[in-house]
Amino acid sequence: MLRVDTLSVRLGRQKVLNDVCLTVDRGRVVALVGANGAGKSTLLATVCGLIEQASGTVTVRGLSVGPGSTALAFVGASLTGDGYLPHRTVRQNVDDLWDVLGPRRRSSCRDELLEALDLTHLKDVPAGHLSVGNARRLSIAMAMLGKPDLLVLDEPHAGLDPTGRARVATVLHRYAGEGRSVLYTAHELSEIDYDTVDVVALVDGRLVHFEDADSASATVEVRVEQCASRYAATLAAAGADVRVGPADTLTITAAGTVGDTLRLVAGVGLAATAVRSSSPLERWYAESVSRDR
């Protein structure tokens, strides 16, 4: 569906993207993560034909992407800004865009989208009066209108409560499951279900792909009252990877879930005063950033 091949983008004299390669196949959801200023929004804007590349290619359904390209007929997007008219109601905004799409992009999905994104009860509310989360869901609905083959979203979970995030995640997975593709950016790693989403990170203008080789382990940090070295030796003998830090802090990695690791810690009689857990995705991202520094 989407192919990005050795893409480089310059904004003025600054090279923002450097030889980026990315594939988003049909039926897949890809989450793009990275620090502020890493180039996530620039990549999305280039995929949507809003920025010209310095080198490399971007294609959708085999068609070259650029300003005014015919390939953009197969792309729906919600990027910077809301994309709706604040004085028009939710339904009027949807209908206005529906009229613009033309018969080739129309499908009987207007009411379906409003229902799926929990906007039906707000259809008569001016868009400018919506809460941040409801406005975000309206922008997503408008991007999905006409069911484009490629859906591109900049931080679709921003401003949503946990229920809203879960609802949007379900809608996006269902959308991809119908043979389409989704590419979105995420600011918080906790927003991503890495078991069902392909994850890539932009680090210093380059893409790094997440491979979930470490998903069968979990790490906890435990601060003990005394005898950190003795506890470390006991836990290591039980198969855990243990590092002793300052102030009698142990960092413990063992196979299984965080709960399994905590049970292992409790099993050796460790009296923990503080616990911090991290997901495989968080550890991978931290390691990717540190390798590129």
Side-chain angles (χ1 to χ4, degrees), residues 132-156:
V132 173
N134 289 332
R136 178 69 62 179
R137 294 203 303 277
L138 173 58
S139 296
I140 295 170
M142 293 179 68
M144 296 174 68
L145 200 61
K147 296 187 176 180
D149 289 336
L150 174 64
L151 184 63
V152 180
L153 305 172
D154 199 356
E155 297 194 12

Side-chain angles (χ1 to χ4, degrees), residues 45 47 112 122 135 140 159 169 209 217 287:
V47 167
E112 172 190 330
L122 300 171
I140 295 170
H209 291 257
S217 67
E287 291 167 2

Side-chain angles (χ1 to χ4, degrees), residues 35-95:
N36 291 333
K40 303 186 299 296
S41 296
T42 299
L43 177 55
L44 295 197
T46 306
V47 167
C48 293
L50 300 175
I51 297 177
E52 291 195 46
Q53 54 264 44
S55 61
T57 59
V58 179
T59 60
V60 174
R61 290 185 48 164
L63 300 172
S64 179
V65 171
S69 168
T70 57
L72 300 178
F74 304 104
V75 180
S78 174
L79 303 180
T80 304
D82 299 314
Y84 54 74
L85 297 174
H87 65 282
R88 302 281 282 172
T89 68
V90 167
R91 185 55 191 248
Q92 286 170 338
N93 271 284
V94 170
D95 288 345

Side-chain angles (χ1 to χ4, degrees), residues 218-232:
T219 299
V220 299
E221 286 187 0
V222 180
R223 189 168 65 252
V224 297
E225 301 293 348
Q226 58 185 350
C227 302
S229 296
R230 179 172 63 82
Y231 283 121

Side-chain angles (χ1 to χ4, degrees), residues 103-173:
R104 193 170 66 84
R105 277 281 301 273
R106 290 178 183 171
S107 62
S108 57
C109 66
R110 283 180 291 183
D111 294 334
E112 172 190 330
L113 276 175
L114 293 178
E115 179 65 29
L117 289 164
D118 195 27
L119 292 169
T120 302
H121 67 292
L122 300 171
K123 64 181 180 180
D124 296 322
V125 176
H129 294 176
L130 296 174
S131 67
V132 173
N134 289 332
R136 178 69 62 179
R137 294 203 303 277
L138 173 58
S139 296
I140 295 170
M142 293 179 68
M144 296 174 68
L145 200 61
K147 296 187 176 180
D149 289 336
L150 174 64
L151 184 63
V152 180
L153 305 172
D154 199 356
E155 297 194 12
H157 301 100
L160 299 181
D161 59 24
T163 300
R165 287 197 297 271
R167 181 181 291 272
V168 167
T170 298
V171 168
L172 297 184
H173 281 92

